[in-house]
Amino acid sequence: MTKILVVALDACDPDTIRAMAADGEVPTLARLLDESASATTRNPYGLFVGSLWSSFFTARTAARTGFHCWEEVDTKTYERRLTSPLEIRGTPFWETLSAAGKRVAVLDVPHSKAKPLNGVMVCEYACHDRHFGFHTSPPALAKEIETEIGLTPILTAEPHLVRDWAPDDYLHRDGDHRTADEERALTHGLVDGIELKTQLSTQLLAKGDWDLFLTVYGESHSIGHQQWHLHDHGHRAYDVALGKELDPIRSVYRQLDVAIGEHLALTEQDTTVFVLLSHGMGPRYEGSHLLHELLRLLDQAESDGYRGSSLKRFAKRKVSDLPGLASGVLPFLRRRLARDPLPAVPNWATPEQRARQRYFLSPNNFVFGGVRINLEGREPSGVVKRADYDAVCDQLSEDLLALVNVETGEPVVRAVSRTSDHYDREADDSLPDLLIDWGRSGPIETVWSPKTGVVHGPDTHWRTGDHRPDGLLLASGPGFTPGASLSDMDVVDFGASLSGMLGVTLGEDTDGRVLDWASESSRTPARSE
């Protein structure tokens, strides 16, 4: 009978883990990298920050979960509004397994809410993302955990608070940025929290005869956001002494390696084990804080125009002409801005501005910018005719690609793509129409193009790290060839494949497919190394 253990490390950077494995710092993961089959996991393009986990557990594409960001612009009013995981469409795959009679244990899957199962469910004990407060199924288990194990120092702060927040954003931070002592307190609190979470998780693992045991660690997510600057020697906020003392990323990753080892020690030989590093981390370089003003200026340039003027001809030069143009302009701009700094631009439009403009900022977390076209017949005051949609998207994409980082001389935007190129859209979705992949060569604070002129806004956010798209799956156990490389895996297929391994088929309202390796008879690698 198939038994499955999944240990997932939320936003644990695969490249950093590989480097640490080579240095001997994470012996359990080093062994798994050598002895497991592996696959790169592909997460929802452009939307993965908010949609990864909901696509993971509903086996639906990001366009069909109804939840891609913690806020959105209401498509009926142009007002910003907070969203909720309660709006997620689809059934978590573990509920389908439970209904089929499988015993399941599910711990700390982000954006999930505990419901009665044939087994146990623990929610928001140690999650980066908090919505509903710490709770369990059965409900009495929460009190038992609190009494016998205790709450984690960081991620279970204010355990019963029902609020959309991330505790690591606020704990041990009295000012805009943390002091050295506050940095120490955060690092040590997260490391200590991993030990408590491991105690809880391994106790539950040992108690039940589980068909599926799924546990997710949120500390890797938290440390990546808050303290990347103490890991990345090239970061402008890197502190040599404190970085050497703490290196918080490595400290947390080492403790996670211990946690994985403790879970593996409790598994039987015929258990199939998956270790999932959900997606990566890196320095937080993005331009979302400038996007509203950039879109306003680009809309104004197109709407008001430079009719008949030489400036119009200047502004309409091809993007390929910009390197030479920028090389002449940027030194002058740098000298002028050093002498006479610009004020910061506003971050957000008003509802009235959104209603007037042809396009506006569509909230999409920060790694990818989002733009919504104010489309006639879809938005309440749509100004772009459907016949003009393609032309508006094409022109705006060209204009965004023309933006230059004044400090570095590099493009601000690496790529612009249409959401419809990646997803089958639904008529009532609130998704962006365009996805902006920011150039991440350095901080984006002052940008220029012929159409926008200079736009400036300092990036003062306390988060210094942010997400990278791809993850890593390590698979071992019956049917998996050690060291084999499996085909890349779309995260939407994982729940369907785990269910397939247990002989359960998900409903027709899902998009995930059962991958070849989920069938023991066909669980062969795409290629071996």
Side-chain angles (χ1 to χ4, degrees):
M1 182 177 295
T2 301
K3 303 291 183 183
I4 300 173
L5 167 67
V6 181
V7 180
L9 310 181
D10 188 15
C12 181
D13 185 58
D15 288 342
T16 303
I17 286 294
R18 290 187 182 99
M20 293 179 67
D23 292 341
E25 294 187 68
V26 285
T28 300
L29 280 161
R31 179 174 60 80
L32 290 172
L33 285 165
D34 286 340
E35 299 179 3
S36 301
S38 64
T40 296
T41 58
R42 304 297 185 189
N43 295 310
Y45 182 86
L47 305 173
F48 66 92
V49 173
S51 296
L52 187 162
W53 287 106
S54 57
S55 286
F56 167 87
F57 65 72
T58 64
R60 285 181 156 209
T61 70
R64 298 189 62 234
T65 63
F67 181 80
H68 75 281
C69 184
W70 56 275
E71 65 172 345
E72 66 182 22
V73 172
D74 191 309
T75 56
K76 297 181 177 62
T77 65
Y78 295 101
E79 296 275 359
R80 291 167 63 193
R81 75 171 191 92
L82 295 178
T83 60
S84 167
L86 294 175
E87 300 168 26
I88 293 174
R89 302 169 184 171
T91 302
F93 70 86
W94 52 77
E95 292 183 16
T96 304
L97 290 175
S98 175
K102 303 299 180 182
R103 277 186 52 78
V104 296
V106 180
L107 283 71
D108 279 340
V109 176
H111 311 308
S112 66
K113 191 171 185 352
K115 293 183 179 180
L117 294 174
N118 181 27
V120 299
M121 191 166 180
V122 177
C123 290
E124 298 186 11
Y125 177 77
C127 279
H128 164 75
D129 295 289
R130 291 267 302 275
H131 308 281
F132 311 113
F134 169 48
H135 65 291
T136 62
S137 177
L141 178 60
K143 185 63 178 178
E144 181 182 330
I145 292 169
E146 191 169 348
T147 301
E148 296 184 5
I149 296 176
L151 302 177
T152 69
I154 306 295
L155 298 185
T156 334
E158 299 187 61
H160 306 298
L161 180 64
V162 178
R163 172 190 168 195
D164 296 305
W165 69 309
D168 49 273
D169 274 333
Y170 303 101
L171 267 64
H172 303 299
R173 185 179 65 81
D174 287 338
D176 290 341
H177 298 277
R178 289 183 172 89
T179 65
D181 284 342
E182 288 172 333
E183 300 278 25
R184 293 184 181 96
L186 182 68
T187 300
H188 297 320
L190 287 169
V191 170
D192 291 345
I194 294 171
E195 295 182 18
L196 290 172
K197 169 64 177 287
T198 302
Q199 186 179 345
L200 164 62
S201 188
T202 53
Q203 282 188 13
L204 289 174
L205 177 60
K207 282 181 180 178
D209 182 20
W210 307 109
D211 294 299
L212 170 70
F213 189 95
L214 166 59
T215 185
V216 182
Y217 281 84
E219 289 83 0
S220 41
H221 191 150
S222 300
I223 205 75
H225 275 319
Q226 306 300 332
Q227 295 185 315
W228 189 265
H229 62 290
L230 295 177
H231 168 74
D232 183 349
H233 293 204
H235 198 282
R236 63 178 175 176
Y238 181 68
D239 182 310
V240 175
L242 195 58
K244 185 176 181 179
E245 173 193 338
L246 293 177
D247 199 337
I249 303 294
R250 288 180 177 255
S251 296
V252 163
Y253 286 11
R254 283 192 294 266
Q255 194 61 46
L256 291 171
D257 186 72
V258 173
I260 295 169
E262 293 189 24
H263 285 81
L264 295 180
L266 296 172
T267 61
E268 298 176 2
Q269 189 173 2
D270 59 351
T271 299
T272 300
V273 175
F274 296 98
V275 174
L276 175 66
L277 282 59
S278 66
H279 54 309
M281 270 282 178
R284 194 185 67 82
Y285 298 143
E286 46 83 16
S288 295
H289 58 297
L290 304 178
L291 185 54
H292 154 61
E293 182 67 2
L294 291 168
L295 294 174
R296 185 189 72 81
L297 291 169
L298 290 171
D299 180 66
Q300 178 179 294
E302 288 296 318
S303 299
D304 296 348
Y306 305 104
R307 295 182 179 85
S309 71
S310 60
L311 187 54
K312 179 182 178 183
R313 294 190 297 274
F314 179 74
K316 286 197 170 182
R317 290 190 182 187
K318 297 289 187 182
V319 173
S320 59
D321 296 338
L322 282 172
L325 180 63
S327 66
V329 172
L330 295 185
F332 166 76
L333 290 177
R334 293 184 190 117
R335 292 193 298 271
R336 181 171 179 178
L337 293 170
R339 183 177 67 249
D340 187 16
L342 290 173
V345 299
N347 284 4
W348 291 99
T350 65
E352 293 74 21
Q353 285 176 307
R354 295 186 189 102
R356 289 195 306 268
Q357 291 181 190
R358 293 177 310 140
Y359 32 71
F360 51 84
L361 187 159
S362 181
N364 188 37
N365 298 287
F366 303 105
V367 178
F368 277 69
V371 179
R372 181 91 170 182
I373 304 298
N374 194 7
L375 186 63
E376 186 178 76
R378 184 181 68 177
E379 271 66 34
S381 301
V383 297
V384 174
K385 295 183 182 301
R386 289 187 177 271
D388 297 331
Y389 178 85
D390 287 340
V392 170
C393 288
D394 289 344
Q395 184 60 59
L396 179 55
S397 297
E398 181 177 318
D399 291 340
L400 290 168
L401 290 167
L403 296 167
V404 178
N405 189 325
V406 171
E407 182 63 30
T408 66
E410 298 289 326
V412 170
V413 174
R414 181 161 52 184
V416 182
S417 62
R418 298 192 195 186
T419 307
S420 57
D421 291 341
H422 305 279
Y423 303 99
D424 293 327
R425 301 281 298 272
E426 298 201 329
D428 63 344
D429 74 36
S430 60
L431 296 175
D433 292 303
L434 296 179
L435 299 168
I436 302 170
D437 188 3
W438 299 109
R440 302 185 186 94
S441 59
I444 300 172
E445 297 185 320
T446 307
V447 308
W448 170 88
S449 81
K451 284 190 177 180
T452 63
V454 179
V455 176
H456 171 73
D459 186 352
T460 59
H461 204 283
W462 58 86
R463 289 187 179 184
T464 57
D466 217 336
H467 301 287
R468 297 295 182 266
D470 294 338
L472 175 66
L473 179 70
L474 301 174
S476 57
F480 287 105
T481 302
S485 293
L486 305 171
S487 298
D488 291 357
M489 183 192 78
D490 191 323
V491 71
V492 78
D493 296 328
F494 197 34
S497 296
L498 294 178
S499 301
M501 291 180 68
L502 294 171
V504 177
T505 301
L506 300 185
E508 293 182 357
D509 62 342
T510 58
D511 302 306
R513 62 190 180 92
V514 179
L515 298 176
D516 287 346
W517 49 254
S519 169
E520 187 169 347
S521 62
S522 61
R523 209 180 307 162
T524 55
R527 54 189 171 86
S528 297
E529 295 181 343

